[in-house]
Amino acid sequence: MKLKVFITGHNGLVGSSIIETLHKKKKYKIITAKRKKLDLLNQTQVNNFFKKNKPHIVIHAAGKVGGILHNKTYPAEFIFQNSQMALNIINSSHIYKVKKLINLGSACIYPKFAKQPIKETYLLDGKLESSNEAYAIAKILGLKMTEYYKKQFQCNFLSLQPTNLYGLKDNFNIRSGHVIPALINKFHEGKIKNKKYVEVWGSGKVKREFLFVDDLADAIDFLLRKKTKHNLINVGSGEEVTIKNLSKLIASVTGYKGKIIFNRNYPDGTPRKIVDTSILSKMGWRHKTKLRDGLIKVYQSYVN
């Protein structure tokens, strides 16, 4: 019998990649639900869905996400929607005795000035970055729920904290998208319109780590087959780059030849953010996609 896997956010960047990865294994029956048929903000609907479909495994990949400006503009929506979805999915997974739950968080849960690379134990050890505090608090709520349900009810629940993700089904909107898809949009437009310069928000000095979303899906597949005592596990690439060098790399990949100007009127966010992946590495998992290779795949898909 195939294990029934319910994946929330199946049309999103992460969810779609997970579905593609698990389909290849041919041992899972994938369950999804369109937003019109299942409102994840409604506990009654979520409970009824679990009661009817009885999933063996749940992967919670749904969420309200966006770039730094979007987070600052709509903090109320970010904290409410992400918190409510986590509360509903995790509690229903407990009620209907799901065999394994993987809850996806974000590396933004860690303190703004956390020691680098960031270990899982640094959680709640300092102030959060203000620009995405609402989203981070909601994600912390979700991972603490998995921890306490595991502690009190012995649920097989696990939270993963991936570093900054990018992939083929990203949001390329300049104002609401994350840094990589937004920059791909900007530099592609700069090339097509032969612009003399492309503006990048912030100083360009901050450092970030990026993970191709298919590698996260691969890590999830890996962890579905593993037992672990850990409540929280980081997933990252170990590749760190300044936004300035990332901009140059994306300009190269897109073929943009003009100047790059950094607008310091926009916030930088956390000065440096790279996660410690010792736990996952010791279990035997490594990421596969180099940053440049991933960017080439994403840009080709974007153009097509």
Side-chain angles (χ1 to χ4, degrees):
M1 183 185 75
K2 289 186 176 182
L3 292 171
K4 291 187 287 186
V5 183
F6 174 40
I7 301 172
T8 68
H10 65 282
N11 283 325
L13 170 67
V14 177
S16 59
S17 179
I18 296 169
I19 288 175
E20 185 177 344
T21 297
L22 295 188
H23 264 314
K24 295 175 183 176
K25 304 299 177 180
K26 297 181 180 179
K27 64 179 181 180
Y28 300 113
K29 179 182 179 182
I30 307 298
I31 301 172
T32 61
K34 293 181 179 180
R35 191 175 299 179
K36 290 181 180 180
K37 293 187 176 181
L38 176 62
D39 180 4
L40 297 180
L41 301 177
N42 186 310
Q43 179 72 81
T44 301
Q45 287 189 27
V46 173
N47 275 334
N48 289 339
F49 180 86
F50 273 70
K51 184 177 181 179
K52 178 181 178 181
N53 292 279
K54 297 179 176 61
H56 301 110
I57 296 169
V58 174
I59 302 172
H60 181 39
K64 181 174 177 59
V65 298
I68 190 169
L69 190 62
H70 216 51
N71 271 269
K72 287 191 70 175
T73 306
Y74 305 104
E77 286 94 330
F78 271 87
I79 194 168
F80 171 73
Q81 292 184 28
N82 288 297
S83 296
Q84 193 65 50
M85 280 187 274
L87 289 166
N88 294 343
I89 292 297
I90 296 168
N91 191 55
S92 290
S93 294
H94 160 60
I95 293 171
Y96 293 98
K97 302 185 186 307
V98 166
K99 294 182 182 297
K100 189 160 192 171
L101 162 72
I102 292 182
N103 171 59
L104 294 177
S106 165
C108 74
I109 63 167
Y110 293 116
K112 179 175 182 177
F113 298 107
K115 183 180 177 181
Q116 306 287 324
I118 307 170
K119 296 181 182 292
E120 290 86 350
T121 53
Y122 297 167
L123 180 68
L124 299 177
D125 199 28
K127 289 187 176 181
L128 298 166
E129 159 59 35
S130 60
S131 62
N132 58 15
E133 183 181 76
Y135 179 73
I137 289 173
K139 287 299 180 181
I140 291 170
L141 170 65
L143 74 89
K144 280 298 180 181
M145 277 190 72
T146 62
E147 177 184 334
Y148 296 141
Y149 275 58
K150 185 174 185 176
K151 181 179 180 180
Q152 184 173 340
F153 303 113
Q154 292 74 54
C155 297
N156 188 10
F157 291 177
L158 171 67
S159 284
L160 301 184
Q161 306 312 311
T163 191
N164 300 289
L165 299 169
Y166 69 101
L168 305 189
K169 287 195 173 183
D170 229 323
N171 171 19
F172 293 88
N173 185 284
I174 290 175
R175 296 192 68 81
S176 63
H178 287 110
V179 58
I180 283 181
L183 289 180
I184 285 175
N185 185 331
K186 281 188 174 184
F187 283 108
H188 177 72
E189 185 181 76
K191 180 182 74 171
I192 297 301
K193 296 184 178 180
N194 200 27
K195 291 186 176 181
K196 293 182 178 179
Y197 69 89
V198 166
E199 179 185 279
V200 178
W201 294 346
S203 67
K205 294 180 179 180
V206 298
K207 295 179 179 180
R208 291 291 182 268
E209 173 190 26
F210 296 95
L211 182 71
F212 190 53
V213 71
D214 289 0
D215 285 344
L216 172 61
D218 181 68
I220 290 170
D221 174 52
F222 175 83
L223 288 165
L224 285 177
R225 295 176 276 111
K226 296 286 184 178
K227 291 183 179 180
T228 177
K229 64 181 180 180
H230 297 285
N231 302 308
L232 171 62
I233 298 178
N234 290 333
V235 188
S237 65
E239 293 186 72
E240 192 176 28
V241 62
T242 64
I243 296 301
K244 181 178 181 179
N245 287 336
L246 174 68
S247 301
K248 290 180 178 179
L249 183 56
I250 293 177
S252 172
V253 167
T254 59
Y256 175 71
K257 304 296 184 182
K259 293 182 178 180
I260 303 173
I261 296 176
F262 294 91
N263 187 340
R264 293 172 180 265
N265 292 322
Y266 287 92
D268 272 333
T270 304
R272 187 185 180 206
K273 187 166 61 178
I274 182 170
V275 297
D276 183 295
T277 56
S278 299
I279 292 176
L280 201 50
S281 295
K282 288 176 182 176
M283 293 176 71
W285 184 85
R286 299 285 189 283
H287 87 289
K288 299 173 182 176
T289 311
K290 295 293 183 183
L291 181 57
R292 184 179 183 87
D293 294 337
L295 291 175
I296 290 171
K297 289 180 182 179
V298 173
Y299 182 59
Q300 288 174 344
S301 175
Y302 174 75
V303 171
N304 292 336

